[in-house]
Amino acid sequence: MSDSKIIDGKAFAETLRRDIAAQVAAMKQAHGHVPGLAVVLVGEDSASKVYVGSKAKQTKEVGMTSFEHRLPATTGQTELLALIERLNRDPAVNGILVQLPLPKQIDPQAVIDAIDPDKDVDGFHVVNAGRLATGGAGLVPCTPLGSMMLIKSRLGDLSGKRAVVVGRSNIVGKPMASLLLAESCTVTIAHSKTRDLPGECARADILVAAVGRPQMIRGDWVKPGAVVIDVGINRVEGPDGKGRLVGDVHYEEALAKAGAITPVPGGVGPMTIACLLQNTLTATCRQRGIKLAA
Ligand SMILES: NC(=O)c1ccc[n+]([C@@H]2O[C@H](COP(=O)([O-])OP(=O)(O)OC[C@H]3O[C@@H](n4cnc5c(N)ncnc54)[C@H](OP(=O)(O)O)[C@@H]3O)[C@@H](O)[C@H]2O)c1
């Protein structure tokens, strides 16, 4: 446990990736299988290309097999669904991720629905959302999973803590709230229609911001000593006219009040791909009946 107020997600993610690499090596030796992650990119979106490149690189770095499928922007839905069906059946592929957004001729929900829930390492399939909501063993979306690891690294037992999650998206806010509830927190989900958002936030022992509005959460919204997790990634223009990344929390103000806080960049962001690899390892173990090392 660190004494610093700043939660170093980059360092935490590095440690997690090292641990995953050790487990991959042990699996290869004991079971002769290497986990495989298939990443599908349709089109030429430049941010998506960067994400897919980083995912493939980190997959290989932990010793897993990376299967990259780069399809043209003109790819039809039937063709993409046929690829997913092949990946669902391929025993070398333990995890499948389709990079979003997809070109407009493809319905993203139809694509997510087509992925085998046991290979759905993004945790977006409705079966995995249902498993999370009902306490079953599913695959949890990577960003909330990583945020939860950071929270527990500071607080340990969360039972009885008051948690406020600002944002109710299916990929961050709602799964985050489910994870906190499963740890016996008293959870409030706030959103754009919430009355007195500063007052709601000020009651939180754990405050998670997943809004997409630069520096919206101010220092005087933060309860003294609270753990603040800033999921937001927003590009704004700095005083020098250059672009820089900021979170949904006003970092300098919140740092003065919080017991611990994630910076942006270097907080939640690096945990997301590390948790994708964790999910691929978890999926592989379940598919092959291998017990995960603690
Ligand atoms: N670190 C990572 O790896 C990672 C991963 C995913 C996302 N992100 C970042 O996290 C942020 C949220 O992402 P998302 O996909 O969850 O966004 P999203 O789908 O746009 O959802 C945003 C949520 O914020 C709520 N909201 C908007 N304005 C608000 C306001 N003024 N007051 C209170 N609530 C407000 C919305 O409420 P309504 O539902 O009422 O509209 C919605 O529930 C973004 O900055 C995104 O870039 C980071």
Side-chain angles (χ1 to χ4, degrees):
M1 209 170 285
S2 164
D3 288 336
S4 165
K5 269 193 177 192
I6 300 167
I7 303 175
D8 187 345
K10 192 162 173 273
F12 196 104
E14 265 167 33
T15 306
L16 180 59
R17 287 198 306 269
R18 262 202 307 279
D19 179 52
I20 293 167
Q23 298 202 52
V24 169
M27 181 186 288
K28 187 176 177 185
Q29 200 178 27
H31 302 277
H33 180 78
V34 171
L37 173 62
V39 179
V40 182
L41 173 66
V42 187
E44 299 293 326
D45 181 81
S46 52
S48 294
K49 278 181 167 172
V50 173
Y51 294 143
V52 164
S54 317
K55 286 169 186 173
K57 181 169 171 277
Q58 294 190 28
T59 301
K60 287 179 247 178
E61 279 170 2
V62 296
M64 295 182 182
T65 308
S66 170
F67 302 96
E68 278 174 74
H69 295 268
R70 292 173 185 261
L71 309 180
T74 51
T75 303
Q77 182 165 312
T78 312
E79 203 182 321
L80 179 57
L81 292 179
L83 170 62
I84 289 173
E85 197 39 52
R86 282 204 302 283
L87 297 174
N88 281 343
R89 283 197 307 266
D90 186 343
V93 173
N94 303 108
I96 303 169
L97 178 151
V98 178
Q99 186 66 45
L100 302 177
L102 289 164
K104 58 181 180 323
Q105 73 274 15
I106 301 176
D107 170 14
Q109 195 56 53
V111 174
I112 293 167
D113 289 348
I115 298 172
D116 177 345
D118 295 335
K119 295 189 177 184
D120 166 40
V121 284
D122 255 340
F124 294 166
H125 196 287
V126 69
V127 167
N128 282 316
R131 285 172 179 159
L132 178 59
T134 56
L139 291 163
V140 177
C142 303
T143 301
L145 182 61
S147 301
M148 194 55 167
M149 288 179 187
L150 297 179
I151 295 167
K152 290 186 84 171
S153 76
R154 285 304 170 114
L155 293 177
D157 180 17
L158 307 187
S159 181
K161 303 266 185 220
R162 194 179 282 275
V164 173
V165 180
V166 189
R168 56 174 163 179
S169 70
N170 288 337
I171 62 168
V172 188
K174 283 180 198 160
M176 187 75 241
S178 294
L179 288 172
L180 289 160
L181 184 60
E183 292 290 333
S184 299
C185 292
T186 303
V187 184
T188 300
I189 307 176
H191 46 76
S192 67
K193 305 290 187 290
T194 296
R195 268 185 261 149
D196 187 20
L197 186 60
E200 294 292 347
C201 292
R203 279 189 283 278
D205 303 311
I206 300 164
L207 177 59
V208 181
V211 187
R213 291 186 178 259
Q215 301 177 312
M216 185 187 82
I217 292 178
R218 310 300 303 235
D220 58 1
W221 302 16
V222 175
K223 179 177 172 179
V227 170
V228 179
I229 302 294
D230 191 351
V231 179
I233 302 178
N234 309 288
R235 185 165 289 280
V236 296
E237 198 175 293
D240 54 1
K242 288 189 190 150
R244 67 183 182 111
L245 293 181
V246 298
D248 292 338
V249 176
H250 193 296
Y251 181 72
E252 288 76 20
E253 289 181 8
L255 181 62
K257 293 282 288 294
I261 183 168
T262 56
V264 177
V268 174
M271 292 298 290
T272 298
I273 298 185
C275 285
L276 174 68
L277 303 174
Q278 176 66 61
N279 274 349
T280 304
L281 182 63
T282 303
T284 309
C285 289
R286 290 194 187 137
Q287 287 160 31
R288 301 181 74 91
I290 297 169
K291 206 169 170 307
L292 250 184

